[in-house]
Amino acid sequence: MRLVNPVVRGFAPDPSVIRVGDWYYLATSSFEWFPSIPLYRSRNLADWEPAGAVDTAAPGRSLLGVPDSAGIWAPALSHSDGVFWVVYSIVRSLGTRHFDLETYLCTAADVGGPWSEPVRLPGHGFDPSLLHHEGRHYLLNLQNDSRVGGRRFDGIVLTELDVPLTGGVPDVDRVRAVGPTRLLIQRDELVEGPKITVKDSWFYLLLAQGGTGVEHGVLVARSRSLTGPYDVDDVPLLTSRDDPAVPLQKAGHGELVQAPSGEWYLTHLAARPLQTPAGPRNTLGRETAVQRVVWTDGWPRLAQGGWHPETEVEVPDVAAARLDPAGVAGRDPGLDKLDQRRLDQRKLDQPGGLDVAPAWPWSTLREPAGDWVEHVPGRPDTLRLRGRLSAESLWQQSLLAQRLTEHRAEVEVTVDAEPTTFTQSAGLMLWYGTASYYQLHVTWAEPEGEPQAGQQWQGGRGRRVLVLVHGHPDGARVLDTVDLDGGPVRLRAQIDGATASLWSAGGGGPWAQVGPDVDFSELSDDFGPSLRFTGAFVGISVVDLVDGAFTADFSDWALRHRSAMPGG
């Protein structure tokens, strides 16, 4: 059978893959978003479904205050001693020489959890991974020289970990580093994301090369000894940097996995750019793709030849995973519980499918959904959100959002809100980060023609309006203000590649566009002066800047994606 890349579409970067029995498992970066460290599973490498998340990854279940695109970077998934392991870094400063990061380890008996509380490991830099070899455990890390004048990407280091067993199970609470930290490889070019695969008595070190933009790639080095020296392959295993016409750009950050049939595959990140007058922009963020690998003269090579990723790849013809809450004999432990959770979550993709305490595919910023979201009594398809801080806050935002997975999409929702002050608002959000968003919110404004001077306190004055705000690195601005009658308002956004339009309809009236068409490509990794690593979301949000008590009701959510072509 043939798979179509990307196999996990829309903001699924830094994929780490393993196979346990007949199942493949995949972890991806989550940055400032919850659920933290999304997990997927597949039987055939082509059809992937959510497998939960490492919901304990952030200590205290909080990433409050971390910058956009910081948070949890590049988790590495592994399996040893009957246990799933995941190591990752939490980056708390972005664009600085220090990164101010911590490196953590969580474990679970099955991928569906429960996951252990995070245990801190030595963190020389981000992008950690684990090698379990001959009963011993090794931590790989990027080395960051944070001194003034130092190199932030200063090679790859290896540290052995002592992990005691208690009742035959790894006791990660007692893990400790043993022996010296060793430098494995150092290069003038930027290398990160180390992963080691052992094959035929060789240690193959896969490295993410050239940064996270269009220069990205996968470089391979090998050694007969774990601690080196490592010889570097003359050619990249994977990159698209030499040809902007390759459909999958930014290809890099790979990991090898072997199929039960003996064939080898590479998972990697890639992006599907939109061509805009400002250059290529990737509104969907970086996604997960799979390539088939063959071994030539002891080196891994793409099966199709060269180093460019393909959008269609041949994989073993194995039945896709099936959701079966009744359970199947011989399945992995814990998957019955996990599949029931997925069956509940599948309703979220359907019109009217809002759910309380939402999990996949709903996401929240910097903390899990809490007491600010609840079902409306007697209305099971309606959510009530309580407003908190603004769209530009790094702290408690009341935002529920879903990833975009295609360049063309339409989202609709009905909002019922009666704000009485400009500090209260509720509605639809097109989101990338605190400096890049389009917010279509019901709020309050002064009587028409009067200046912004706090008149909301003057007893019944003012009007209910719909305001379209454009969040931008240079500062937010209002694109349109529309007077509203009473009652619920239907909101819509239509996304067509690099352009989006926003619409409203109230009281059973016709749809009317709010403001001009907007540049949706700004909600991308490639816009603005700062580092960006995630992707565009659409969602619902509520703001109350005074006392966090204002609420709004949302119903009839619908998100529809339209794929133009395979891999496109």
Side-chain angles (χ1 to χ4, degrees):
M1 64 177 294
R2 296 184 72 81
L3 63 77
V4 176
N5 282 315
V7 292
V8 183
R9 303 168 85 84
F11 180 34
D14 309 320
S16 175
V17 67
I18 60 172
R19 180 175 60 83
V20 181
D22 293 331
W23 288 94
Y24 300 93
Y25 298 97
L26 186 76
T28 65
S29 292
S30 50
F31 295 89
E32 70 268 35
W33 289 95
F34 282 76
S36 49
I37 310 183
L39 301 169
Y40 306 84
R41 67 167 188 168
S42 175
R43 290 286 303 275
N44 57 17
L45 293 169
D47 304 292
W48 293 86
E49 63 179 12
V54 185
D55 53 6
T56 61
R61 314 300 187 268
S62 174
L63 293 172
L64 294 176
V66 304
D68 295 336
S69 289
I72 295 176
W73 285 16
L77 194 61
S78 58
H79 189 268
S80 177
D81 299 312
V83 171
F84 289 90
W85 310 57
V86 64
V87 292
Y88 53 94
S89 292
I90 297 181
V91 175
R92 301 192 183 274
S93 297
L94 198 61
T96 72
R97 57 189 171 88
H98 289 100
F99 290 102
D100 296 315
L101 61 80
E102 307 116 37
T103 295
Y104 290 101
L105 165 67
C106 293
T107 59
D110 66 75
V111 79
W115 286 87
S116 67
E117 292 299 316
V119 174
R120 190 165 179 180
L121 299 179
H124 296 276
F126 51 81
D127 287 8
S129 66
L130 287 175
L131 172 66
H132 311 281
H133 182 62
E134 296 181 344
R136 298 165 74 175
H137 309 279
Y138 302 90
L139 174 70
L140 289 98
N141 246 167
L142 165 74
Q143 177 177 241
N144 173 33
D145 185 345
S146 61
R147 296 172 295 180
V148 175
R151 299 196 310 171
R152 292 192 297 165
F153 300 84
D154 202 24
I156 306 300
V157 296
L158 178 81
T159 305
E160 185 170 1
L161 301 178
D162 178 51
V163 186
L165 297 178
T166 300
V169 177
D171 186 352
V172 295
D173 288 332
R174 294 194 291 148
V175 65
R176 63 186 182 93
V178 294
T181 293
R182 299 176 182 272
L183 180 64
L184 297 190
I185 193 169
Q186 202 168 43
R187 296 190 48 94
D188 291 335
E189 64 189 320
L190 187 158
V191 291
E192 54 187 321
K195 304 287 195 307
I196 286 183
T197 297
V198 182
K199 181 181 184 295
D200 299 333
S201 299
W202 285 100
F203 295 91
Y204 289 91
L205 175 61
L206 269 70
L207 299 167
Q209 177 188 30
T212 59
V214 294
E215 297 298 315
H216 208 26
V218 177
L219 188 69
V220 181
R222 71 178 184 179
S223 175
R224 287 292 189 183
S225 169
L226 173 59
T227 57
Y230 279 84
D231 296 322
V232 177
D233 196 357
D234 293 333
V235 296
L237 174 57
L238 175 81
T239 188
S240 49
R241 60 175 168 257
D242 59 333
D243 188 351
V246 173
L248 299 177
Q249 288 290 305
K250 299 187 177 181
H253 200 106
E255 186 165 16
L256 292 168
V257 67
Q258 188 175 21
S261 61
E263 296 177 318
W264 286 83
Y265 292 87
L266 176 77
T267 61
H268 65 93
L269 66 78
R272 292 176 284 162
L274 293 167
Q275 301 304 321
T276 78
R281 287 183 174 172
N282 296 274
T283 55
L284 304 180
R286 296 165 300 153
E287 308 169 284
T288 292
V290 174
Q291 307 296 323
R292 192 163 74 86
V293 167
V294 295
W295 295 85
T296 303
D297 299 326
W299 292 100
R301 298 278 189 264
L302 297 185
Q304 65 265 25
W307 45 77
H308 292 162
E310 293 283 351
T311 55
E312 296 190 14
V313 175
E314 194 72 26
V315 293
D317 190 7
V318 180
R322 301 298 180 195
L323 298 176
D324 181 6
V328 176
R331 302 176 70 217
D332 292 348
L335 287 181
D336 293 344
K337 171 186 66 177
L338 184 62
D339 282 348
Q340 183 59 61
R341 187 187 312 158
R342 291 197 201 95
L343 286 174
D344 293 339
Q345 290 165 1
R346 283 193 301 177
K347 296 183 294 183
L348 299 173
D349 268 330
Q350 306 303 316
L354 289 166
D355 197 6
V356 70
W360 197 265
W362 287 102
S363 295
T364 56
L365 281 172
R366 297 178 175 85
E367 61 179 350
D371 61 2
W372 50 273
V373 53
E374 63 178 354
H375 269 307
V376 176
R379 297 165 61 191
D381 288 334
T382 301
L383 276 184
R384 177 166 293 157
L385 271 62
R386 176 172 56 82
R388 298 185 298 167
L389 298 182
S390 73
E392 297 177 10
S393 174
L394 301 178
W395 300 87
Q396 293 94 350
Q397 283 201 43
S398 295
L399 170 67
L400 291 180
Q402 292 187 7
R403 290 163 169 78
L404 286 179
T405 61
E406 304 297 340
H407 290 130
R408 302 175 68 204
E410 183 175 86
V411 58
E412 294 182 15
V413 71
T414 298
V415 57
D416 191 354
E418 295 293 337
T420 58
T421 165
F422 63 84
T423 61
Q424 301 169 344
S425 70
L428 184 65
M429 185 75 80
L430 309 185
W431 180 266
Y432 187 95
T434 57
S436 291
Y437 60 86
Y438 294 99
Q439 176 183 275
L440 185 61
H441 268 208
V442 178
T443 187
W444 178 98
E446 289 83 359
E448 189 169 4
E450 293 191 14
Q452 296 181 180
Q455 295 93 327
Q456 78 272 19
W457 307 121
Q458 298 181 14
R461 290 173 58 80
R463 56 198 170 119
R464 183 171 174 257
V465 294
L466 187 64
V467 178
L468 175 58
V469 175
H470 175 202
H472 190 278
D474 294 335
R477 61 192 181 104
V478 173
L479 300 183
D480 199 6
T481 300
V482 177
D483 284 346
L484 292 176
D485 296 327
V489 181
R490 188 78 174 149
L491 304 179
R492 171 192 289 171
Q494 294 176 320
I495 301 161
D496 188 2
T499 302
S501 58
L502 294 107
W503 303 74
S504 70
W511 287 103
Q513 185 168 349
V514 182
D517 288 353
V518 299
D519 184 358
F520 191 76
S521 75
E522 289 187 10
L523 309 190
S524 73
D525 294 352
D526 316 284
F527 175 77
S530 61
L531 296 172
R532 294 177 171 222
F533 302 131
T534 54
F537 285 71
V538 294
I540 54 177
S541 65
V542 181
V543 173
D544 184 348
L545 300 177
V546 173
D547 60 7
F550 170 69
T551 62
D553 294 346
F554 295 87
S555 59
D556 303 317
W557 170 268
L559 172 58
R560 295 175 285 270
H561 289 97
R562 291 173 288 169
S563 180
M565 58 181 293

